[in-house]
Amino acid sequence: MNSRRDFVKKSILAGSGLSLIPNVSFGAIQAKANEKLNLAFIGIGLRGTDHLNNALNRKDVNITAICDTDPERIKLGLTKISDAGFKKPLVFGKNNEDYKNLLALKNVDAVIISTPWLWHTKMAVDSMKAGKYTGLEVSAANTLEECWDLVNTHEQTGSQLMILENVNYRQDVLAVLNMVKQNLFGELSHFRCGYQHDLRAVKFNDGKQPYGGGVEFGEKGLSEAKWRTQHSLLRNADVYPTHGLGPVAVMADVNRGNRLVSLTSHASKPLGLHNYIVNHPNGGPDHPNAKIKWKQGDVITTTIETAKGETIIVTHDCNLPRPYSLGFRVQGVNGISEFDYHTKRIHIEGRSPNHRWEDMDTYIKEFNHPLWEKFGASAKKAGHGGIDFFVLNAFVESAKQNIAPPMDAYDAAAWSAITPLSELSLENNGAPQDFPDFTRGNWINRQPYNWIKDTF
């Protein structure tokens, strides 16, 4: 079987554009679980640097190459690597295509991609074709064609892809997942989730700092304002669905005994970004950006149906003033939980007082996930309250063993498909849109990943 797989991989390479890249070696990962993983980074902006920082705290990785087209980010990355006592890596980034030369290296086993969204699928496909174990930041794809590109490349090459969805590792999320697996809620019926985060100071800045200070974007902006804001200008869609949907999809066994079947989407009018520009001290009604007409609705609500009959409401709300909230709800025949950073409440029939909520703290302690029991204290030193530790740990441990990750190419495709499907629904007055079956029917027989363990 291994010989046949190698033959198939090499045959695909011969017919692909990557055949022009020298020294591409399929099956490049040779490291055992107790050996070091040769890790490379494509994109070391703010998010890529988060991953780099966490990798530098590990003793089981070598940082063999980094790539970024911004010389300042390269300089910062090299300083961090040197300060951590790691050997200087090879450096790439002389142009937008230089990452392909990184992928041609034999001493790169795995790659973490943290670049602007429009590069995600292209780079991930090239990485898998080069035989690298690939970690891809969210969202993984922008179009349905790109979703299929991820799946098809994974199946054709045998290379693994992990979508690096860190919210799946939040302590409350994993505790509720543990409750689900222990049948505390009974058979599940309904979920709510989303990305509800005031991003106005991310989408606009003064070109000198990454967060706030002005109302510039595009060429005049810095960091995410250079590219992320453009999506709000040109697309009316839920462009960032996976932080909410990822945890819920795992609880609902999506792609592993269940699947997403269809969705409908609706959007409110687009007022938030214009209002921010007009009222900002460095903006105003006469600022050139005040004349822009934004396409993305301020609040986009998507309702999904699953093959097993659950409904999932996903909300995208990033252009208006509001505290951060992903707004999780998990509801079954035996009870309900609504939780986020600021509010955690639960009601379990026969256990909670009649018609009254309970605070979830005692439940989180009782059902605390084994990963948080084992690594929680040290993980909190990592970004986003510790969850960045867990997502990188899962990636590294899976890559070292060259096994399927917890969140794979099929998950990357299905979760990211919310963006183009919501866009189509909105363009057609909320008309239902069918999800492609990215597993080609295999969701019926695929077994759920074993999430309740203390390794990764």
Side-chain angles (χ1 to χ4, degrees), residues 292-310:
I292 292 174
K293 292 185 177 181
W294 301 89
K295 191 167 185 180
Q296 184 181 62
D298 290 335
V299 180
I300 297 172
T301 305
T302 298
T303 302
I304 302 171
E305 293 183 352
T306 74
K308 292 174 67 174
E310 300 102 343

Side-chain angles (χ1 to χ4, degrees), residues 46 201-202 204-206 208-214 222-224 276:
L46 296 181
V202 173
F204 300 109
N205 56 46
D206 58 3
K208 301 175 183 178
Q209 56 188 349
Y211 302 121
L222 184 69
S223 190
E224 290 182 64
Y276 181 81

